[in-house]
Amino acid sequence: MTARVTLGALSRALLLGGVAMTLGACSLFSSSNAPKPAPLENITPSLQARVAWEARVDSVKFPLTITAVNDRFVVGGSDGVISAISATDGTTLWRADIGKGLSAGVGSDGRFAAAVTRDNELVVTESDRILWRKALTTPVITAPFVAGERVFVLTLDRAVLAFDAADGRRLWELRRPGEPLTLQQAGVIGAYQNTLLVGQGSRLAGVDPTRGLLMWEATIANPRGTNEVERLADLVGPMARDNEVFCARAFQSAVACVNGERGNTIWTRNNAGLRGVGADATIVVGGDASDRLTAWGTRSGDVVWTADQFQNRKLSAPLVTDKSVIVGDSEGYVHFLSKDKGQTVQRLQTDSSGIAAAPVQLGGTVLVATRSGRLFALRQD
């Protein structure tokens, strides 16, 4: 099934600075006539999985990203409280109240943490101590990326800003020719060795993190359509990685993998999905607009399997672990699939508010968050 954005949604778009308009994925595809989610299948569990511990943040009313770093998860709630939580037992290691609600997830390198408020203010802390605040001129819904004592911010119009993490000095700005439309959904930003990786339109760009200079670009999708809405193909997070290979989703267009060292596209496959992808050394997994999952070979791009048992369940982006593929849905269920065939091998229930973000793994612990702010640490035995 190929997802298409209706022109009616265009009239609900937000004019941004008189230049770019933003479209939200949820509003584009929501409808009172939306297909009913597939019923839960009867399964005979063949994988042991359990909830190891629970924690809580405020409700999640923004594009959540959970950061896993060192021995902890760093996560924020809608009330503007940032928490560092031990991956071992769920103990809160520190909390910082930045005073205002968040518009995006929290980025952290283990020392510094960075978040953007609904008032469009970038706030950086060192553990629970607020170091500095800086007003931004363009909205941000992607979690900042923190590395090398720098804070990198991807704005809604896909410009990249770099700040000194310690004192907030603005170091550089990379602003490319803008797309007519940008997506109101968290984008792609990360790093490989000494290269900053950032999604700009339908391309993954390699950027010099010290000077903000473009080093290379790799095409994820070649969008086609009769209007600007149909050609909208921003990269959406999360991006997945295996060593030097990075795989990403272009909204409603394609999934592709890129060599982060050479900057070349390894393969690209048409797939009209809305969420990011998960990957390991063997498979890349992503869902289409109907929540049909496909696994491709990480190095080849060949289809390994497809799974259609979760259609219209509004799945999160998947996580690929050494034991299974894990994905959450809008009813709060967490599904575990076999890596070789895509069959459901286990299912756990969290709460009915729905899974708010892609599951994140740190060591043997997988963390999922619900819209109500409950955090569930899962372990596969």
Side-chain angles (χ1 to χ4, degrees), residues 11-51:
S11 65
R12 299 192 295 273
L14 169 66
L15 182 64
L16 175 63
V19 178
M21 287 181 286
T22 62
L23 299 175
C26 294
S27 64
L28 292 181
F29 296 95
S30 62
S31 168
S32 59
N33 298 319
K36 292 183 179 180
L40 294 174
E41 60 183 328
N42 294 321
I43 65 171
T44 301
S46 57
L47 174 73
Q48 296 297 319
R50 59 187 173 87
V51 176

Side-chain angles (χ1 to χ4, degrees), residues 47 278-280 282-283 318-326 336-337 339 359-361 363 365-366 380:
L47 174 73
D280 69 357
T282 58
I283 57 173
L319 170 70
V320 181
T321 74
D322 60 347
K323 296 183 178 180
S324 68
V325 176
I326 304 174
F336 300 74
L337 288 73
K339 291 179 61 177
V360 173
Q361 184 175 25
T365 302
V366 173
Q380 303 172 86

Side-chain angles (χ1 to χ4, degrees), residues 44-123:
T44 301
S46 57
L47 174 73
Q48 296 297 319
R50 59 187 173 87
V51 176
W53 51 261
E54 295 185 33
R56 192 173 187 91
V57 295
D58 192 51
S59 61
V60 178
K61 301 176 181 178
F62 58 92
L64 177 67
T65 299
I66 302 169
T67 298
V69 57
N70 298 336
D71 60 348
R72 64 199 61 185
F73 297 102
V74 184
V75 61
S78 294
D79 58 356
V81 175
I82 301 170
S83 301
I85 299 171
S86 167
T88 302
D89 57 11
T91 302
T92 298
L93 304 175
W94 56 259
R95 290 163 55 92
D97 187 349
I98 65 175
K100 298 177 182 178
L102 302 184
S103 67
V106 183
S108 176
D109 64 354
R111 176 187 175 189
F112 301 105
V116 178
T117 71
R118 287 196 294 267
D119 291 342
N120 216 42
E121 188 176 51
L122 173 63
V123 183

Side-chain angles (χ1 to χ4, degrees), residues 48-233:
Q48 296 297 319
R50 59 187 173 87
V51 176
W53 51 261
E54 295 185 33
R56 192 173 187 91
V57 295
D58 192 51
S59 61
V60 178
K61 301 176 181 178
F62 58 92
L64 177 67
T65 299
I66 302 169
T67 298
V69 57
N70 298 336
D71 60 348
R72 64 199 61 185
F73 297 102
V74 184
V75 61
S78 294
D79 58 356
V81 175
I82 301 170
S83 301
I85 299 171
S86 167
T88 302
D89 57 11
T91 302
T92 298
L93 304 175
W94 56 259
R95 290 163 55 92
D97 187 349
I98 65 175
K100 298 177 182 178
L102 302 184
S103 67
V106 183
S108 176
D109 64 354
R111 176 187 175 189
F112 301 105
V116 178
T117 71
R118 287 196 294 267
D119 291 342
N120 216 42
E121 188 176 51
L122 173 63
V123 183
V124 171
T125 75
E126 186 172 12
S127 296
D128 60 353
R129 181 170 65 96
I130 295 176
L131 295 181
W132 51 269
R133 301 174 180 267
K134 189 171 292 290
L136 304 175
T137 58
T138 305
V140 173
I141 57 174
T142 301
F145 180 69
V146 184
E149 299 190 350
R150 290 177 172 85
V151 177
F152 302 97
V153 176
L154 179 65
T155 64
L156 194 54
D157 60 357
R158 301 320 191 223
V160 187
L161 312 175
F163 300 88
D164 186 287
D167 59 20
R169 285 183 298 115
R170 186 158 163 170
L171 303 175
W172 52 261
E173 175 180 341
L174 175 63
R175 189 173 295 276
R176 310 295 307 288
E179 302 289 340
L181 296 176
T182 57
L183 187 67
Q184 195 169 350
Q185 189 170 332
V188 164
I189 187 166
Y192 175 69
Q193 295 182 353
N194 294 322
T195 302
L196 181 69
L197 305 180
V198 58
Q200 294 191 310
S202 60
R203 301 169 302 277
L204 183 65
V207 178
D208 180 343
T210 61
R211 298 178 294 169
L213 300 178
L214 181 69
M215 300 167 62
W216 51 259
E217 282 185 325
T219 299
I220 301 297
N222 291 299
R224 299 179 178 87
T226 59
N227 55 67
E228 292 171 347
V229 179
E230 291 184 347
R231 291 190 294 271
L232 180 63

Side-chain angles (χ1 to χ4, degrees), residues 25-40 274-275 287-293 308-318 327-335 352-359 369 371:
C26 294
S27 64
L28 292 181
F29 296 95
S30 62
S31 168
S32 59
N33 298 319
K36 292 183 179 180
L40 294 174
L274 317 179
R275 307 295 179 194
D288 67 13
S290 296
D291 294 314
R292 180 183 293 106
L293 295 172
D308 59 5
Q309 62 264 42
F310 308 117
Q311 289 194 61
N312 306 311
R313 295 195 66 85
K314 299 180 181 178
L315 298 179
S316 70
V327 65
D329 71 21
S330 62
E331 294 181 344
Y333 290 98
V334 180
H335 308 274
S352 60
S353 67
I355 303 302
R371 291 288 175 192

Side-chain angles (χ1 to χ4, degrees), residues 241-328:
R241 175 187 181 183
D242 176 62
N243 293 319
E244 79 284 0
V245 176
F246 291 81
C247 302
R249 151 90 60 199
F251 179 77
Q252 72 172 354
S253 298
V255 170
C257 288
V258 172
N259 186 298
E261 185 171 359
R262 296 194 295 268
N264 64 294
T265 302
I266 302 170
W267 57 263
T268 181
R269 299 290 182 266
N270 293 334
N271 186 267
L274 317 179
R275 307 295 179 194
V277 298
D280 69 357
T282 58
I283 57 173
V284 179
V285 182
D288 67 13
S290 296
D291 294 314
R292 180 183 293 106
L293 295 172
T294 299
W296 299 270
T298 303
R299 265 54 180 185
S300 68
D302 296 336
V303 174
V304 178
W305 50 258
T306 60
D308 59 5
Q309 62 264 42
F310 308 117
Q311 289 194 61
N312 306 311
R313 295 195 66 85
K314 299 180 181 178
L315 298 179
S316 70
L319 170 70
V320 181
T321 74
D322 60 347
K323 296 183 178 180
S324 68
V325 176
I326 304 174
V327 65

